[in-house]
Amino acid sequence: MNHRPLADTPAAAPATAHRNLLTDRPELYELRFPDPGFTAARWAGAMLREHGAGPEVLDLGCGTGRDAGWLHRAAGLTVTGLDSSPAMIAHARAHHPGPAYHVGDMRDFTLPGRFDAVLCLDSALLYCHTNADLDALFGRLRHHLRPGGLLVAEMRNGAFFLGRTELLGTPRFDSVTHDGVTHTSRTVLWIDHAAQLLRRTRRWTGDDGAPPIEQHSAWRLLFPQELRHLLAVHGFTVLALHDRPGPRTEPPWTDGDRPADTADGDRLHLVARLDLPGRRGR
């Protein structure tokens, strides 16, 4: 079953085209996806420490800057953040200062210097939908990482959807209130098998009478062995690849947790090292 979302009824109000309500309004993003304990940043910091990363870190797809700001402020790292959304970067500079923030495309960016580690959290890597996109991203990583540098990533797990349909097809409703207006979302996930994408249709309505907003987005579904192959082709050695625990698992990661030796949950956690010159191809 393909689980494509059913069209809204003809009586429904027409939706306004909008790129992404939460991306364009970062304050709503942080309310809708709260992380008061900075679990994602603390997990990333623990992975960097455990695997001996240096202090200069690039946060790709940094979003609101919440993780980058914590790593700069609390972990004492020198952090650079990059995101394709100007609104997100403006919010990061205003609300999570310290890191150097840049607007850019993770498939095609050039920053000064090189980094000891690159973070790619909350499925940011999966916005590279095609093989060409992924090749371009890994090419940028090789250019910007020092030899022996780390890639730390957290993302949806394509293997979870092999025979599993509980997240697909059925609408999910969530609400967030800001400045006296309650915004309610109706979200449906479905799989585009030919493109190997997890697609999402999300329709926002507000109790202020504004027209509904409908958004369409997608994530590339990567399988653990496919990800290992991509990394090896691009000169990385996988140090850790597992499903739990992590910042968005249930229960979530806490300090001192050890990874499970499994990869069938709905999240995938990766640590990989860029091979030193002379070791590639061995």
Side-chain angles (χ1 to χ4, degrees), residues 35 37-45 67 121 247-248:
D35 188 4
F38 297 97
T39 303
R42 289 191 297 106
W43 173 82
D67 300 331
L121 306 180
R248 294 168 181 84

Side-chain angles (χ1 to χ4, degrees), residues 62 80-90 93 100-106 108-111:
C62 67
T80 298
L82 184 138
D83 199 275
S84 62
S85 166
M88 285 286 201
I89 291 298
R93 289 169 176 160
Y101 292 109
H102 303 270
V103 177
D105 185 328
M106 68 173 62
D108 182 20
F109 68 94
T110 301
L111 296 173

Side-chain angles (χ1 to χ4, degrees), residues 92-127:
R93 289 169 176 160
H95 296 275
H96 303 287
Y101 292 109
H102 303 270
V103 177
D105 185 328
M106 68 173 62
R107 300 164 301 178
D108 182 20
F109 68 94
T110 301
L111 296 173
R114 291 199 174 188
F115 299 91
D116 300 307
V118 172
L119 304 179
C120 213
L121 306 180
D122 197 19
S123 296
L125 185 150
L126 304 183
Y127 285 105

Side-chain angles (χ1 to χ4, degrees), residues 72-236:
H72 171 89
R73 180 181 67 256
L77 300 176
T78 301
V79 184
T80 298
L82 184 138
D83 199 275
S84 62
S85 166
M88 285 286 201
I89 291 298
H91 180 92
R93 289 169 176 160
H95 296 275
H96 303 287
Y101 292 109
H102 303 270
V103 177
D105 185 328
M106 68 173 62
R107 300 164 301 178
D108 182 20
F109 68 94
T110 301
L111 296 173
R114 291 199 174 188
F115 299 91
D116 300 307
V118 172
L119 304 179
C120 213
L121 306 180
D122 197 19
S123 296
L125 185 150
L126 304 183
Y127 285 105
C128 294
H129 291 170
T130 68
N131 293 338
D133 289 341
L134 289 164
D135 287 339
L137 166 65
F138 286 122
R140 291 293 82 202
L141 295 184
R142 290 198 313 273
H143 179 82
H144 285 84
L145 272 173
R146 294 189 174 98
L150 293 182
L151 168 62
V152 176
E154 181 268 336
M155 69 198 87
R156 290 180 178 271
N157 180 13
F160 175 81
F161 295 95
L162 293 173
R164 308 277 290 273
T165 61
E166 59 260 42
L167 297 182
L168 304 175
T170 302
R172 188 187 75 236
F173 294 89
D174 295 289
S175 295
V176 60
T177 300
H178 182 256
D179 285 345
V181 177
T182 298
H183 305 268
T184 300
S185 63
R186 176 187 185 273
T187 302
V188 180
L189 299 174
W190 59 283
I191 293 179
D192 180 342
H193 291 87
Q196 204 171 311
L197 294 176
L198 178 65
R199 294 195 181 274
R200 180 182 70 191
T201 299
R202 176 173 284 165
R203 184 184 180 95
W204 286 97
T205 55
D207 60 5
D208 58 351
I213 295 169
E214 186 168 290
Q215 300 155 6
H216 301 271
S217 53
W219 299 268
R220 173 69 178 262
L221 289 178
L222 291 173
F223 300 96
Q225 291 302 317
E226 179 185 17
L227 185 55
R228 286 183 182 274
H229 175 71
L230 278 167
L231 288 160
V233 166
H234 287 280
F236 287 84

